[in-house]
Amino acid sequence: MSKTIKRKQLEEWLQDVDEFEKPKILLEQYPTTPHIAACMLYMIHTSYDDIKDKYIADLGCGCGVLSIGASILGSGACVGFDIDEDALCVSAQNVAEFEIDNIDLLQVDITQADLMVAYRKKFDVVIMNPPFGTKKNEGIDMQFLKTGLDLAKDAVYSLHKSTTRNHIKKKADEWRVKMDVLAQLRFDIKNIYKCHKKNSVDIEVDFIRFSF
């Protein structure tokens, strides 16, 4: 599809993407909201022309909202990677309901470098909403980012907690990649786990573009 699609229209379509049936806290399975997904994808598409006809990887794809949104905006093809079979089942159902035929789904632990070496520099662009590393997974956000940079030829687009911005900038400098904070968004985390005390919590997140 073309750039004439409006962001609001994309967000409305993404409202139909089903979320996790039984989210797993240790995997930090917080669904990417249609609003955030639409904001991310629309900017990638209209400001950087990094979706139309591009070969895209979606790391930690979960229920597939970013992959599906990219397909709606005209991606050439997309591969969604996730460690969780249950999430991939939901994603497959979503892809089928949207009648999309250019999305493939793979069950793999993307933090295992030896499993991902076959995909090195195979994708034009990587998009992701990685775990933030708050539930016994400290540093997993950087593992996701490093894998994304290994897979992408042109750019990686990712969400990270704003409080980690300085740390991420140091890592980007170390890896010799350019880092641009495109927007600061509010990630609405709903009360979906027993440990949650509030109905929802807004977390400030940076939408970042990494390029070579």
Side-chain angles (χ1 to χ4, degrees):
M1 297 186 185
S2 71
K3 290 182 179 180
T4 56
I5 294 177
K6 301 297 184 182
R7 184 195 59 77
K8 192 65 177 178
Q9 184 179 19
L10 177 62
E11 181 177 338
E12 289 174 357
W13 284 336
L14 296 181
Q15 298 280 356
D16 292 332
V17 176
D18 291 334
E19 297 181 354
F20 298 103
E21 295 178 353
K22 295 181 179 180
K24 299 168 185 175
I25 192 169
L26 291 180
L27 295 179
E28 296 188 53
Q29 290 180 332
Y30 298 101
T32 307
T33 66
H35 175 70
I36 286 182
C39 287
M40 292 173 62
L41 294 167
Y42 194 73
M43 184 176 293
I44 295 170
H45 183 50
T46 59
S47 298
Y48 296 94
D49 196 22
D50 267 344
I51 290 184
K52 180 70 173 176
D53 298 326
K54 300 292 185 178
Y55 190 29
I56 295 173
D58 179 1
L59 302 189
C61 64
C63 300
V65 66
L66 292 177
S67 296
I68 290 169
S71 180
I72 290 172
L73 292 173
S75 62
C78 187
V79 179
F81 296 85
D82 205 289
I83 194 174
D84 184 38
E85 182 179 3
D86 294 333
L88 289 172
C89 286
V90 177
S91 186
Q93 292 169 5
N94 282 324
V95 170
E97 289 175 3
F98 274 82
E99 299 181 346
I100 292 172
D101 60 6
N102 69 340
I103 295 177
D104 292 320
L105 301 169
L106 294 177
Q107 184 179 8
V108 64
D109 182 354
I110 67 99
T111 66
Q112 299 299 313
D114 57 328
L115 299 179
M116 301 302 294
V117 66
Y119 304 102
R120 182 174 175 79
K121 298 304 177 187
K122 294 292 185 181
F123 298 92
D124 299 310
V125 173
V126 171
I127 56 177
M128 59 180 176
N129 174 19
F132 293 148
T134 57
K135 297 296 179 184
K136 300 182 180 179
N137 291 314
E138 186 176 354
I140 195 171
D141 53 340
M142 291 296 94
Q143 289 179 295
F144 265 69
L145 179 55
K146 185 64 172 65
T147 298
L149 292 169
D150 287 342
L151 269 55
K153 297 176 185 176
D154 299 328
V156 174
Y157 295 88
S158 185
L159 290 177
H160 297 273
K161 290 177 72 173
S162 297
T163 54
T164 65
R165 185 185 299 174
N166 290 338
H167 173 66
I168 295 173
K169 180 63 169 65
K170 289 179 181 178
K171 297 301 291 186
D173 291 342
E174 178 184 326
W175 294 334
R176 298 183 179 180
V177 295
K178 184 181 179 184
M179 170 182 160
D180 295 298
V181 178
L182 305 182
Q184 189 173 55
L185 306 170
R186 289 191 177 275
F187 198 111
D188 180 22
I189 295 182
K190 300 177 183 178
N191 185 341
I192 56 176
Y193 297 113
K194 291 182 179 179
C195 63
H196 289 169
K197 305 301 181 184
K198 299 180 180 179
N199 290 332
S200 66
V201 176
D202 284 342
I203 294 180
E204 290 187 345
V205 296
D206 289 344
F207 176 39
I208 305 176
R209 183 179 194 263
F210 302 89
S211 56
F212 303 98

